[in-house]
Each structure stands twice: as structure tokens, then as C-alpha cells.
Amino acid sequence: MSSAQYELSPPPSDVISAIRFAPNSSRLLVSSWDKNVYLYDVRAPAAEQLVRKYSLSAPVLDVCFGDDESHAYTASLDWTVRRINLETGEDTVLSTHKAGANCVAYSAKTDLLVSASWDGQLHVHALSKPGQPPAVIQLPAKPFSISVTSDKLVVGMANRLVDIYDLKPLEKLAMQHNAGTPQTVEPLQRRESSMKFMTRAIACMPSELGYASSSIEGRVSVEWFDPSDEAQAKKYAFKCHRETVDGIDVVYPVNALAYHSVHKATFASGGGDGHVALWDGATKRRIRQYQKFPSSIAALAFSPNGRYLAVAYSPGFEDGKEDMAGPVGVAIRELSENETKGKGAK
Amino acid sequence: MGKRKGHPSVEDVLARPWCYYCERDFDDLKILISHQKAKHFKCDRCGRRLNTAGGLSVHMNQVHKEQLASVENALPNRQGLEVEIFGMEGIPDDVVMTHNTRVMQQYYEDAAARRAKTGNPMSGSGEGHKRKQIKLETPDELTKRFQDWKRRKLDGDTTMGNTEAPLPLPVVDPAPPVIPASFGQPPPTAAPFAQPPFPGHNGFAPPGGAPFMPGFPPGQAPFSGAPMPFAGSLPGGAPGSGLPPRPGFAPPPMSGVQFPGAPGGTAAAVDDLIASVTSQGAKPATPTEKKGKGKDKTRMIYSDNEISPEEKMARLSRYAFTAA
Ligand SMILES: [Zn+2]
Ligand SMILES: [Zn+2]
């Protein structure tokens, strides 16, 4: 019996920063520190999986689709946020941050593209108004990860801060004439992370009721937007991506989180230990853990139809590391019917 | 012919084969074994039933490229893969002891309740049973034997201290027995261990594979006795920090773990994930609480709490870009 797992070819040549599925197809964007964005079709036969490669001038730290698969949006180490026309390959600078741009996210309902940068600012782009400069939002700290729902934006930052913004006022600001002056916007909620260490990844629930976040210290927390005591009491956190070696608890960063789009309580975590685990967030159970990948898990994505899990692995930065050598690849796992189903109702 | 239903003797009850993973008992060993294959050793990807957890682990590894994280439908502290169970074989002594104590306690409680209700003497005690009598120990004797055993075992095995405690509730498996109970047969008496060895038992290591990798299920750590230096890390001021301590977290014995009590996969509803849920807010971190107190043997692969790994990478010369 063969396994339903295969590698995309050719893979990027350096550390992977992000992978995203197209909203309505089996196409997958991969961004890499090798300064390229790769567009694959995960269902194509092995030799033809790479549809096209787009070369930029600097390492690409994040990528996403817009409302269709015609364009990709990138955040780069050269501070720029770009739009790539995936048909023609032409790329356009949408805005330039004051430091490396590390995150992009697109919210379809508001047609907003949000980018984040180590300069501590967000750029909110109204894609419906081409040429419009973005609203510049000043954050209380350096952002590390962002995730959107149809009406909210969650920003995980330094100092263990987590802001939850309403997209509506951001949309309003983005539609106005912007002089590029940073503004502060009152978040819906400003939270302190429920984990003690740096936030590594944030993923909103497909139910849009809350989000999961992970830290550099082998831990994942799940919490809800609803500020009521009742909803907040459901919050939980748990340890994962650790191993005991010679009596020492080796703790890996949890680099990636992704929710399943169909079984909405199911999410995957990927760690510096090369492991990917599936969790049932409702019953708080681990559903399964996959065989260890050859290097750190860099990013995870479920396809919109829930049939595929894409796992990007590449060397992870560790304390004292000076080179980033090691295996790089994107594994596609074809998910069987029950593979991502929760375990509660047996 | 068959024993009188309803009032078995205590040795009848003690002699019943039972499942290490879920504490359910069975009329005979064959039923127990098929129960284990169906409930605990079944591959949820392809439905194949294996003989042991180790066999399932290898199967999942080789066929599905997955790692078995824990034994399905098992009680919270019985999910581990370290223990190799087949039928009644392989159950650790202390678990056997705890089980017997619990069964006996339950038996005497029931009997006492029955006596109180009916005024009848205990059944089973005066009847001439043909079967060999099992030497009975009182719960006190059992406890003492257990203590002795524990003392002998104490050094080196840190997991022992809190692994087992008498289970307060009989665990009810909501599913019907796999095979209809055969009342015609006398229940097996002694020697449930006489099962012949089966293929693969103890020999399941795949070539070049390491089914029980040291780094195995990260989430399974909570009962391994490892200290949790950062438990209760939720700062006092964070929203929702007033969480009550969650059951199922480390020190209290397993009886503290919630058994929702309802049928429908009760035991199965609690496993490694919930077990590792940190008791947030139970003790808010104080400013003096230092991360990683010297003694804690913890090593973070990435420990800079201010600068992200990507920022560090950006400083490596190979990624230096020259602004156009
Ligand atoms: Zn069982
Ligand atoms: Zn199978």
C-alpha cells in the first residue's frame, strides 16, 4: 500500500517562509528566502507541479493570494509589499515599510490586504482602490504573526501582546486619502498572550470565534474572541513539540498553525522538531502525529476543500546557528475521509 | 450448571479477564483480546486490527507514514505505548494490584449494600466451589504488598509514583461486547496468562525504524513526571486569567481526571491533549518567578524572547540584500 504523501518538485532552494493555497483550486504559493515565489499545482503529475517561479530582489517572508488566483501578494526583507501578476509575472510595489516586511494577509469580505513589518506598523491596503496608498497603523510592539477572519485581524507581537482589530474601521481608514502618517487605532481587545514566551504563529478559527497561537517554547494556546467570562473560561494551552533527550526536556518552537476548513475544530501544529500534529480543538485531543519530517516545519496549509495538507519543511533558526543548511521541501498529504475528523464522537 | 447469576463470589469477580487500557472486564480471554484489537489496536486509517499497540505503531509507520501517538479509547494514564499489552499479558504488577484492590472494594461494598438491603449473608462464601481457591488478601494486605513492591521499585522509576491510583468509578464501555457472552462456559479460572505467544509480539521493531522514538509524542509528557517549570504562566492581568485549575493536570492521581461519566466514549474523551492542558491561572506568575530555574533540565532550541528567528536570519550575511 502506498502512502498518500508526496513531495512537490522542484522544491525551493532555501528556507521556506510561507505556503498558501488558492481560495478555489489546488494551486499553492510558496515563498522562500531564496528570493523566489513558487506557484505549484499540487494535483499535477510530479514533473509539472511547478507552474511558475517568480524572482524578487530579496528574501520573501510571506505570501498570500487575493480573492482569486490571478495575483499573489508578498512581504519581503527589502521592506516592500508587492503584488505579482501570476499570469504575466509582472510585480508592482504596493507600499514600502521602514524595515523588513514579514507578514501579509488578505480578507475577502472587506477586500483588504494587511501587511506587517518589523518597523512596528501595519499597512492596510484597500485593493478595491488601485493606486491608493495604504493606511499606516502604529502597533504597540513589533508584529510577528497576523491572521484574519472576515471581520477581524489578530496581530501577535513582541512583549507577548496580542491585538484584535475590527476590520471595519481599518477599511474606512484604508479608503480615505492617506498621507502615510501612522495612526493608532483602538483595537477591539488588547490581550497579553496566555503563553510566557514569544508568539510564533497565530491562526484564526474557521468558525471565526477565536484563534490558536503558538510560542517559541513548545506550546499552543486556544482562545475565544468573546470577552465574557464564560467564553474566556474555555481558553486552554498545552505543551507540544518537545522531546526528552538524555534527561533534558528539549523544547522546540511551534512555527506553524493551520486550521482545517471543513472539520473546523481541527488544526495542525508544526514544530522545530520536524513534527506535524493534528489536534481536535473541541475535545482537546490529539488526532494524530505524522512521521517526522527531515527538518523544522516552516509552514502548514490545508486546502480550502480540506483534502490536502501542505507541509513546508526547511532548516529552522536555532540558538547559535550560523548557517541554514539542511533539507528543504514541501510535502503534500492527501487526506483520507477521517484523517482530520475530530475524535470526540466515537 | 452455570453459576448463579447476580451473586458471584469474590474470586469469580477477581478471575475475570480485564483490559489494561480501559479496565473493562470480560467473560473470557478471547473476548478480551478481540476487544483490544477492536477498541485499542485498530488502525483508524484502514481499519486493520493489530495484536498490540506496538504492532499498530509499526503498521501506521510503515503503511501510512504516521506515528501512533497514543492508544485509542484508553484511560488517561493508560495510553502510553511503553507498556506492551496482549490480553492479560504485560500488565504492570502495580496496575494489577490496584485493579484487584478496586474490584475487591467494589465487591465488598456491593455485598454489604446487598446485605443491608436483604439481610442475606454474603453469597459465594459458603458454597462449595470446585475451582481452585484464589488466595485472598484483604485490601490492607494488598496495600501493604503494593507498598513493599513500590519500595523495591522506587529508585530509578520516576513514573511510578503517580501513575496509578484506585479508580473511583467502574468504567462503562458504551459499546456492546464484541462477542456475545457465552454463559454456557464456565468462566476461566486461573492462568489467563497461558496465552501462546503471538507473531510479532516483542518483535515488532521494523528494520531501521524506531517505533518508540525518544522524541515520541510530545504531548504525552504530562504524566512522565517531568517538571513543568512554566505551568501557571498566565499573567494575572490577562483576560480570562481567572480560570479554575483544570483537572487532569499532573500531581493529583488519575482519579482526579474528569470522567465525564456519560456514555459515548467517556474514557476516550480525555487524552494526552487535555491531560497536558496547563492549569492556567491556578497560580499566577509572580515577577520573582524566574524562567528556567537552574535545576530544570530544559533546553529551548530558540530562546530569544525579543527578537524573532527571522530577524536573526535576516542578519546572516547570506541574506543581506542591497537596497536598490
Ligand atoms: Zn479495553
Ligand atoms: Zn492502517
Side-chain angles (χ1 to χ4, degrees), chain B residues 14 43 97 129-130 148 208 226 241 251 280 317:
Chain B
L14 281 171
C43 173
M97 208 88 71
H129 281 275
K130 285 182 228 120
D148 292 346
S241 63
Q280 294 189 351
S317 58

Side-chain angles (χ1 to χ4, degrees), chain A residues 100-263:
Chain A
N102 60 338
C103 309
V104 281
Y106 174 77
S107 179
K109 195 175 164 200
T110 49
D111 201 18
L112 290 180
L113 177 78
V114 180
S115 61
S117 157
W118 293 324
D119 64 9
Q121 296 180 342
L122 298 175
H123 286 184
V124 184
H125 305 258
L127 295 186
S128 56
K129 289 179 84 174
Q132 168 89 346
V136 179
I137 310 297
Q138 184 64 48
L139 295 169
K142 196 167 52 178
F144 294 135
S145 180
I146 66 176
S147 181
V148 293
T149 67
S150 65
D151 62 353
K152 289 187 185 66
L153 163 70
V154 183
V155 186
M157 293 169 280
N159 306 331
R160 300 172 42 253
L161 288 173
V162 178
D163 272 2
I164 301 164
Y165 291 95
D166 184 352
L167 285 176
K168 267 272 153 355
L170 296 184
E171 181 186 16
K172 213 168 275 169
L173 288 174
M175 300 294 278
Q176 288 165 8
H177 173 75
N178 290 299
T181 321
Q183 328 183 37
T184 50
V185 173
E186 192 68 25
L188 282 175
Q189 294 175 45
R190 176 159 295 163
R191 295 184 178 186
E192 206 164 20
S193 165
S194 39
M195 296 170 293
K196 203 166 182 172
F197 289 86
M198 179 191 284
T199 301
R200 193 77 184 111
I202 289 194
C204 289
M205 298 175 188
S207 67
E208 309 206 330
L209 295 175
Y211 58 91
S213 55
S214 66
S215 82
I216 56 170
E217 189 248 348
R219 213 176 279 262
V220 169
S221 109
V222 177
E223 49 196 280
W224 280 260
F225 292 132
D226 180 350
S228 73
D229 287 350
E230 198 192 358
Q232 291 302 313
K234 292 195 290 180
K235 165 155 71 178
Y236 61 87
F238 59 95
K239 289 176 171 188
C240 48
H241 301 286
R242 290 151 181 258
E243 63 190 17
T244 306
V245 179
D246 299 334
I248 294 171
D249 192 16
V250 181
V251 179
Y252 293 88
V254 182
N255 300 322
L257 291 172
Y259 269 94
H260 192 266
S261 41
V262 179
H263 301 131

Side-chain angles (χ1 to χ4, degrees), chain A residues 71-104:
Chain A
H71 292 86
Y73 298 88
T74 61
S76 287
L77 197 55
D78 67 0
W79 309 4
T80 62
V81 178
R82 290 168 193 259
R83 178 179 56 218
I84 302 172
N85 182 324
L86 296 175
E87 203 55 53
T88 65
E90 170 199 23
D91 76 85
T92 318
V93 174
L94 294 184
S95 70
T96 305
H97 281 273
K98 298 196 192 82
N102 60 338
C103 309
V104 281

Side-chain angles (χ1 to χ4, degrees), chain A residues 242 286 289, chain B residues 67-70 81 213-221 272:
Chain A
R242 290 151 181 258
R286 176 163 52 202
Q289 174 162 288
Chain B
Q67 232 176 21
L68 182 63
S70 59
L81 302 168
M213 301 169 73
F216 194 53
Q220 264 193 356
D272 50 346

